């Protein structure tokens, strides 16, 4: 492999995933297996419904590697991101520090970005693949419109500035060289495409399946921390501990991820729409079938022994998106409201729509500032609950206790009508929704009636208990 003058390598201070052998999917699989966090399905499974049906039974525990997929040569893995304890081990930190590790990486990247290194070839370009029908794309849910790419990272270049963007979108198989996809409102890729379409030009992209942990996290960074003029792939360099390696496209003027499992090169066609969906989305509902955007595939390459990656809508999305969302919200909100101690996007809110914010109040009213700043920092949110430092934000029961005993609807309810939310939320009307803030904090200074009951901390191992 030969690099050509793009992004001079330098040492990077950070989690250094690459130095610990976690610089690609193969390294992550080895780590999961050695940690007892990988389930191996050795029986042959059908990619239509059966594969994801098995995965659903194990959701939230171990990642699942399907060694034999009927009709395909390549294994399939899912569940890489659905367990926070496992992710914390990968990042070599306590689980409650994981959002802060990611936030620190983003903050360092913002101050001192490192450009990726572009190579002529890499592991992901070792083999040419005939067409999309060779890839073991699963059909996830019973009502899905067909097989889907659900985890692949899309790389595109701004048609005016050339700045790269990385993001994740769903793609439905529509033919051996054709995909249909969803472009959400407000996403940078949609902005790129619409400007290219106005000129009657296609937008070239690469679709990278089976990327490393750092690239995945970089691709789901919220726009609030990675604005349209910045190449968020630098976040991946920060997490890896070295410059990310890309490979030049063979049929398009956009790079692919050098250590991916597969690189699909294609172009998003202007003024063309074809059916896409239904698809089992992160909300737990089906996204409706509609005429949507079309990708014409121009070439596919892969590793010598690739592993196809798919994401089952649910805990895996809640965790991955939630972690990067928490990191972004914490950095933005704590800079405005220093009393903020932590942020959590719970699974019950789909990792997108609900947040719990922990504050250590220095004066009355800061909790409401934190609620408003949180709603502004992550536009998909519809509900923010503020709690005190004595409440465990990761424990839904403890949060409910705070609401039950510290929330007063008369003075603690914030209502923001007709705000822009997330278009995939079925309770929104074309993305417009009323947002709610709940102040579940005790008054400041805290009266005696709001002091929590405490019991002695006792070492139970000193006692005989049958």
């Amino acid at each position: 492999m030969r690099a050509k003058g793009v992004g001079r390598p330098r040492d990077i201070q950070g989690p250094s995933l690459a130095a610990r052998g976690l610089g690609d999917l193969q390294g992550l699989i080895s780590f999961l297996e050695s940690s007892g966090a990988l389930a191996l399905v050795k029986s042959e499974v059908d990619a239509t419904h059966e594969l994801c049906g098995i995965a659903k039974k194990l959701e939230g525990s171990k990642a699942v590697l399907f060694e034999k997929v009927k009709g395909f040569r390549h294994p399939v893995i899912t569940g890489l991101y659905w367990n926070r304890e496992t992710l914390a081990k990968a990042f070599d930190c306590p689980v409650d520090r994981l959002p802060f590790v990611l936030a620190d990486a983003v903050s360092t990247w913002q101050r001192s970005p490192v450009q990726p290194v572009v190579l002529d070839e890499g592991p992901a370009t070792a083999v040419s693949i005939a067409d999309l029908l060779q890839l073991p794309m699963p059909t996830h849910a019973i009502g899905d419109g067909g097989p889907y790419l659900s985890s692949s990272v899309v790389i595109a270049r701004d048609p005016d500035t050339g700045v790269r963007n990385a993001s994740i979108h769903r793609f439905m198989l529509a033919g051996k060289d054709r995909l249909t996809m969803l472009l959400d409102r407000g996403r940078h890729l949609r902005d790129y495409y619409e400007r290219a379409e106005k000129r009657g030009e296609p937008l070239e992209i690469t679709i990278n399946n089976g990327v490393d942990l750092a690239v995945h996290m970089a691709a789901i960074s919220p726009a609030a921390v990675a604005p349209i003029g910045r190449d968020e792939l630098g976040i991946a360099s920060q997490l890896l501990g070295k410059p990310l390696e890309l490979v030049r496209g063979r049929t398009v003027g956009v790079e692919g991820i050098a250590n991916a499992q597969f690189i699909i090169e294609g172009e998003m066609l202007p003024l063309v729409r074809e059916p896409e969906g239904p698809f089992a989305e992160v909300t737990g509902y089906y996204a409706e079938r509609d005429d949507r955007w079309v990708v014409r595939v121009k070439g596919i390459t892969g590793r010598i022994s690739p592993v196809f990656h798919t994401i089952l809508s649910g805990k895996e999305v809640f965790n991955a998106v939630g972690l990067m969302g928490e990191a972004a919200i914490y950095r933005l909100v704590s800079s405005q409201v220093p009393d903020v101690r932590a942020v959590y996007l719970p699974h019950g809110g789909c990792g997108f729509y609900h947040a719990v914010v922990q504050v250590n109040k220095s004066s009355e009213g800061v909790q409401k500032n934190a609620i408003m700043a949180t709603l502004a920092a992550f536009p998909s949110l519809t509900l923010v609950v503020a709690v005190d430092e004595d409440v465990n934000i990761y424990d839904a029961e403890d949060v409910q206790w705070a609401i039950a005993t510290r929330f007063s609807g008369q003075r603690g309810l914030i209502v923001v009508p007709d705000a822009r939310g997330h278009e995939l939320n079925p309770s929104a009307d074309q993305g417009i929704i009323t947002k709610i803030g709940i102040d579940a904090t005790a008054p400041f200074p805290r009266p005696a009636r709001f002091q929590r009951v405490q019991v002695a901390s006792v070492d139970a191992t000193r006692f005989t208990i049958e």
Side-chain angles (χ1 to χ4, degrees):
M1 294 179 288
R2 182 165 54 92
K4 290 185 179 178
V6 181
R8 181 180 177 183
R10 67 170 173 84
D11 292 335
I12 302 172
Q13 299 299 314
S16 300
L17 293 171
R20 292 187 289 111
L22 298 173
D24 62 7
L25 182 56
Q26 276 71 14
L28 182 56
I29 290 172
S30 296
F31 166 79
L32 293 171
E33 192 166 18
S34 65
S35 302
L38 181 67
L40 300 175
V41 179
K42 296 185 173 295
S43 303
E44 184 178 74
V45 300
D46 196 314
T48 302
H49 302 147
E50 192 171 59
L51 184 152
C52 288
I54 295 169
K56 192 69 177 178
K57 297 288 186 181
L58 298 171
E59 186 177 25
S61 56
K62 297 181 178 182
V64 189
L65 179 64
F66 297 89
E67 295 185 337
K68 300 175 184 176
V69 182
K70 184 178 179 180
F72 297 98
R73 295 174 52 198
H74 308 303
V76 174
I77 193 165
T78 192
L80 295 177
Y81 306 105
W82 63 29
N83 187 299
R84 285 203 179 201
E85 286 74 18
T86 302
L87 285 173
K89 289 178 182 177
F91 280 96
D92 194 26
C93 70
V95 66
D96 62 338
R97 294 298 305 168
L98 188 53
F100 299 96
V101 168
L102 298 173
D104 288 344
V106 171
S107 180
T108 303
W109 164 75
Q110 289 171 333
R111 294 193 308 270
S112 181
V114 176
Q115 294 299 317
V117 173
V118 180
L119 310 174
D120 291 329
E121 57 186 27
T125 60
V127 177
S128 294
I129 296 170
D131 56 52
L132 292 169
L133 302 181
Q134 309 308 307
L135 305 182
M137 297 185 204
T139 302
H140 290 194
I142 293 172
D144 280 1
Y148 266 86
L149 292 166
S150 61
S151 65
S152 301
V153 172
V154 179
I155 298 178
R157 281 187 174 274
D158 187 305
D160 294 313
T161 68
V163 172
R164 276 184 296 256
N165 174 254
S167 53
I168 296 177
H169 304 263
R170 70 178 196 232
F171 296 85
M172 189 179 82
L173 180 66
K176 65 180 183 179
D177 64 351
R178 210 166 185 87
L179 297 162
T180 51
M181 67 177 293
L182 174 69
L183 276 180
D184 306 52
R185 291 188 183 96
R187 302 289 295 276
H188 294 167
L189 185 63
R190 181 158 173 171
D191 184 281
Y192 287 12
Y193 172 81
E194 289 178 346
R195 280 185 277 139
E197 185 179 46
K198 285 181 180 179
R199 302 169 187 170
E201 299 172 354
L203 182 69
E204 294 182 330
I205 60 173
T206 61
I207 304 169
N208 301 266
N209 179 267
V211 300
D212 64 86
L213 184 59
V215 170
H216 187 92
M217 291 299 175
I220 58 176
S221 299
V225 298
I228 198 166
R230 300 287 299 273
D231 181 356
E232 59 260 78
L233 287 174
I235 298 172
S237 297
Q238 194 63 46
L239 293 170
L240 284 170
K242 68 172 190 176
L244 175 68
E245 294 180 344
L246 305 177
V247 288
R248 303 183 193 283
R250 280 150 172 67
T251 64
V252 296
V254 181
E255 299 83 3
I257 305 296
N259 66 16
Q261 306 301 300
F262 302 95
I263 299 176
I264 302 168
E265 299 182 354
E267 55 186 11
M268 299 174 62
L269 301 178
L271 306 173
V272 177
R273 304 291 187 269
E274 293 175 1
E276 185 270 336
F279 179 68
E281 262 295 351
V282 66
T283 58
Y285 298 98
Y286 288 103
E288 296 178 354
R289 189 174 181 86
D290 203 351
D291 287 342
R292 296 192 174 99
W293 297 264
V294 177
V295 176
R296 182 173 73 88
V297 173
K298 302 176 72 174
I300 308 173
T301 60
R303 296 175 75 119
I304 292 175
S305 298
V307 179
F308 185 89
H309 178 219
T310 192
I311 282 182
L312 186 67
S313 294
K315 292 182 184 297
E316 192 162 11
V317 182
F318 303 162
N319 261 336
V321 173
L323 282 168
M324 290 307 291
E326 290 162 23
I329 293 168
Y330 175 77
R331 276 288 179 244
L332 290 168
V333 176
S334 64
S335 68
Q336 302 171 49
V337 188
D339 300 69
V340 170
R341 291 292 175 266
V343 178
Y344 177 50
L345 301 182
H347 288 186
C350 303
F352 281 91
Y353 306 134
H354 291 178
V356 184
V357 180
Q358 186 185 64
V359 295
N360 188 3
K361 292 167 70 172
S362 60
S363 62
E364 190 56 55
V366 296
Q367 73 279 12
K368 293 188 177 180
N369 290 354
I371 289 171
M372 297 301 293
T374 300
L375 287 170
F378 203 69
S380 297
L381 290 172
T382 61
L383 172 67
V384 176
V385 180
V387 298
D388 293 299
E389 78 287 348
D390 62 347
V391 175
N392 181 359
I393 63 174
Y394 304 105
D395 184 340
E397 185 175 317
D398 213 30
V399 173
Q400 290 174 9
W401 171 86
I403 295 173
T405 64
R406 296 179 176 178
F407 167 64
S408 167
Q410 184 176 3
R411 62 178 181 274
L413 182 65
I414 298 171
V415 180
V416 184
D418 300 327
R420 170 61 62 183
H422 191 230
E423 65 181 291
L424 295 182
N425 188 337
S427 64
D429 182 6
Q430 297 183 353
I432 301 301
I433 194 168
T434 294
K435 302 189 177 190
I436 301 294
I438 292 178
D439 175 8
T441 64
F444 181 89
R446 190 173 304 178
R449 71 181 188 277
F450 284 104
Q451 298 296 331
R452 294 193 75 161
V453 170
Q454 293 183 320
V455 298
S457 178
V458 178
D459 181 5
T461 62
R462 297 190 297 107
F463 298 85
T464 301
I465 303 175
E466 296 182 356

